[in-house]
Amino acid sequence: MKSIQRRLSLGLISVMVVVGLVLAQTSLWLFEVGLQRYLEAGLREDSESLLLALVRGPQGLKLDERHLSPAYQRPFSGHYFRIDFADSHWRSRSLWDQELPLLSQPGLHSNLQLGPEGQQLLVLRSDYRRLGQSISISVAQDYTPVRQSFQRMRQIGLGLGLTALLLILLLQRVTVRRALRPLEKAREQIAQLQQGQRSQLDDQVPVELEPLVAQINHLLAHTEDSLKRSRNALGNLGHALKTPLAVLLSLASSDKLDAHPQLRKVILAQLDQMEQRLGRELNRARLSGDALPGALFDCDAELPGLLATLNMIHGEHLDLSYRAPAGLQLPWDREDLLELLGNLLDNACKWADAEVRLSVVETAEGFELNVEDDGPGIPEVQRDQVFSRGTRLDEQTEGHGLGLGIVRDIVDSWGAVLRLGESEWGGLKVVIELPKR
């Protein structure tokens, strides 16, 4: 989608070009019409002077050349006349051997006539009656210099117009950037929000942005409140179910079921699965913590606490370690990474004998997460089954437990790659390749 600034620039250019062309053409047309009217007045004076120069002679009308302008005597001077009466006509010496065309109607003809040496002539025809005869006098003036002046004016006007347009566009660009500066500031604040550096946007914004900022802040507050309520509800549900589970476990272990050993075994197995699942969900809620939505994952700050929590859950006999560059921040959501790593490390701890290690490596393509353990691992021929829809090896009594449901969803949403391999201890190695952001 085009930017607002580009749209405003294109719109301004279009309007200014159209308006500028219309105004320029209208101004030139009005100026030319006014100039022609001014020249018409001069031509009419010349026509009347020629009329006065017509006197009675021995053989009828004759033209007294003493009253003629010298321009009519000089060849191709740009000033010409033609006098028509009866079956005769006179023309000025300035025409030399060429004729001035006789116009069909009296008046000024703005349609320029072609004159000597390619001159464009503005011609005025006037009809009179003098000394008992009908006389038609046509006077003409070379309009070529005027047309050339108009052409120069157009070129100068075009240059000035383009310069003004560029200046206006520059000023408009500066003005639009200043006007859109609050949007850039809001974008920076949203980036800070994504990185967990703030919880809301500043509400000191222009009036036009107030509804948008208020709606975003309302959405953020609602989302954060919903997350808190969901975590609290999960914790309350877990604690509320612990007592009934304890009661059921006590009843299943009582003497009343001695006569039904098979039934006791089934009940205890199901209750054990319920207790493990409940504990896992409570641990997941505890791992997510209370960070701001969108906070980035700081390895130095998050990994020690995560490993300490898993040590508390699985016992001190496991050696949990991690390797990551100092000060590394992964450009992914903190809660999603805690969910992903917590799930993988929890399963690794479940099946490890003594060693679990997390490695975070920065590569040219992005980042690589490696979770390794020294457990039984998964045979290579069975690894593809882990990625089959509906397969959950952690619910089986044999093999390597790996709950990949949530992990797969997160990895797919990021466009990452999930691979299974063999660790240096002979256990399972889970490799996640995260692309750059």
Side-chain angles (χ1 to χ4, degrees), residues 348-422:
C349 291
K350 177 180 176 182
W351 293 95
D353 294 330
E355 297 280 349
V356 174
R357 183 173 63 202
L358 167 64
S359 302
V360 182
V361 182
E362 187 171 3
T363 65
E365 292 77 19
F367 299 90
E368 185 175 287
L369 309 180
N370 300 311
V371 177
E372 304 175 78
D373 63 65
D374 60 349
I378 298 180
E380 186 175 355
V381 294
Q382 297 182 7
R383 289 172 188 169
D384 291 339
Q385 300 178 14
V386 177
F387 298 100
S388 301
R389 184 175 297 275
T391 301
R392 294 176 55 92
L393 298 183
D394 58 341
E395 293 180 357
Q396 300 176 8
T397 56
E398 296 180 359
H400 196 290
L402 188 61
L404 287 179
I406 297 174
V407 174
R408 186 187 296 110
D409 291 341
I410 296 175
V411 168
D412 290 344
S413 66
W414 288 349
V417 177
L418 175 64
R419 293 186 289 105
L420 302 181
E422 183 176 339

Side-chain angles (χ1 to χ4, degrees), residues 243-257 264 267-268 271:
T243 299
L245 279 175
V247 173
L248 290 175
L249 284 171
S250 177
L251 291 175
S253 302
S254 66
D255 298 338
K256 297 179 181 180
L257 291 180
R264 172 184 288 172
I267 293 176
L268 288 175
L271 290 175

Side-chain angles (χ1 to χ4, degrees), residues 34-51:
L35 181 60
Q36 288 184 0
R37 293 293 176 263
Y38 172 77
L39 295 176
E40 180 184 3
L43 292 174
R44 196 169 297 280
E45 290 182 3
D46 292 343
S47 179
E48 292 174 354
S49 298
L50 290 171
L51 180 64

Side-chain angles (χ1 to χ4, degrees), residues 15-303:
V15 171
M16 290 193 63
V17 168
V18 173
V19 174
L21 289 176
V22 172
L23 289 177
Q25 291 299 324
T26 303
S27 300
L28 289 174
W29 176 76
L30 291 175
F31 184 76
E32 187 172 9
V33 170
L35 181 60
Q36 288 184 0
R37 293 293 176 263
Y38 172 77
L39 295 176
E40 180 184 3
L43 292 174
R44 196 169 297 280
E45 290 182 3
D46 292 343
S47 179
E48 292 174 354
S49 298
L50 290 171
L51 180 64
L52 294 176
L54 292 174
V55 297
R56 189 186 302 274
Q59 299 178 354
L61 289 177
K62 75 170 186 175
L63 183 62
D64 188 357
E65 296 185 358
R66 293 176 301 173
H67 295 85
L68 297 181
S69 170
Y72 291 129
Q73 306 294 333
R74 189 170 64 253
F76 310 134
S77 64
H79 294 270
Y80 312 103
F81 71 81
R82 170 176 176 155
I83 301 175
D84 293 273
F85 64 96
D87 294 331
S88 302
H89 76 275
W90 296 327
R91 56 187 177 85
S92 63
R93 292 181 181 177
S94 56
L95 285 170
W96 200 246
D97 58 350
Q98 299 191 29
E99 292 287 342
L100 184 67
L102 178 63
L103 302 179
S104 59
Q105 296 293 333
L108 181 70
H109 288 253
S110 57
N111 294 329
L112 302 179
Q113 305 294 321
L114 186 63
E117 296 187 333
Q119 297 175 348
Q120 293 179 309
L121 304 180
L122 185 67
V123 184
L124 172 68
R125 173 184 169 179
S126 302
D127 292 344
Y128 304 99
R129 189 169 183 81
R130 183 173 176 78
L131 302 177
Q133 293 193 34
S134 296
I135 301 173
S136 176
I137 301 178
S138 298
V139 290
Q141 181 176 342
D142 184 11
Y143 201 69
T144 304
V146 178
R147 277 296 174 91
Q148 293 175 348
S149 298
F150 273 117
Q151 188 65 25
R152 287 194 296 269
M153 287 178 61
R154 285 193 180 95
Q155 294 173 354
I156 295 174
L158 179 61
L160 292 176
L162 290 177
T163 303
L165 181 61
L166 291 176
L167 180 60
I168 291 175
L169 285 177
L170 179 62
L171 294 176
Q172 180 256 0
R173 187 178 184 87
V174 174
T175 303
V176 170
R177 282 190 173 181
R178 289 174 60 89
L180 296 181
R181 191 170 296 170
L183 285 177
E184 179 64 21
K185 184 177 179 181
R187 186 196 66 79
E188 293 175 356
Q189 292 181 6
I190 291 175
Q192 294 173 358
L193 179 70
Q194 184 181 10
Q195 296 173 2
Q197 299 176 2
R198 60 168 57 238
S199 59
Q200 284 194 331
L201 303 180
D202 290 340
D203 54 5
Q204 299 298 322
V205 294
V207 177
E208 294 80 3
L209 294 181
E210 284 182 356
L212 176 63
V213 171
Q215 193 66 29
I216 291 176
N217 286 337
H218 176 73
L219 178 62
L220 290 172
H222 176 73
T223 302
E224 188 174 1
D225 183 64
S226 298
L227 287 173
K228 288 182 179 179
R229 285 190 282 107
S230 297
R231 290 170 185 161
N232 292 335
L234 180 60
N236 294 335
L237 177 62
H239 289 293
L241 291 177
K242 279 186 175 180
T243 299
L245 279 175
V247 173
L248 290 175
L249 284 171
S250 177
L251 291 175
S253 302
S254 66
D255 298 338
K256 297 179 181 180
L257 291 180
D258 289 345
H260 306 281
Q262 189 63 30
L263 177 60
R264 172 184 288 172
K265 182 179 179 180
V266 173
I267 293 176
L268 288 175
Q270 295 300 318
L271 290 175
D272 182 62
Q273 289 188 18
M274 292 174 61
E275 188 175 24
Q276 289 183 8
R277 184 59 181 269
L278 179 61
R280 184 174 304 168
E281 296 301 327
L282 290 177
N283 291 334
R284 181 182 300 165
R286 179 168 54 181
L287 288 173
S288 62
D290 296 322
L292 292 173
L296 299 185
F297 190 88
D298 188 337
C299 293
D300 292 341
E302 304 293 347
L303 291 181

Side-chain angles (χ1 to χ4, degrees), residues 286-361:
R286 179 168 54 181
L287 288 173
S288 62
D290 296 322
L292 292 173
L296 299 185
F297 190 88
D298 188 337
C299 293
D300 292 341
E302 304 293 347
L303 291 181
L306 176 61
L307 297 186
T309 302
L310 290 169
N311 260 326
M312 293 174 56
I313 296 173
H314 294 280
E316 299 292 339
H317 69 283
L318 288 178
D319 181 16
L320 275 72
S321 62
Y322 76 92
R323 294 186 301 190
L328 177 63
Q329 279 193 335
L330 298 179
W332 306 90
D333 184 78
R334 171 189 179 271
E335 294 187 11
D336 286 344
L337 269 172
L338 281 175
E339 187 84 7
L340 184 145
L341 294 177
N343 188 286
L344 293 179
L345 289 171
D346 179 65
N347 280 279
C349 291
K350 177 180 176 182
W351 293 95
D353 294 330
E355 297 280 349
V356 174
R357 183 173 63 202
L358 167 64
S359 302
V360 182
V361 182

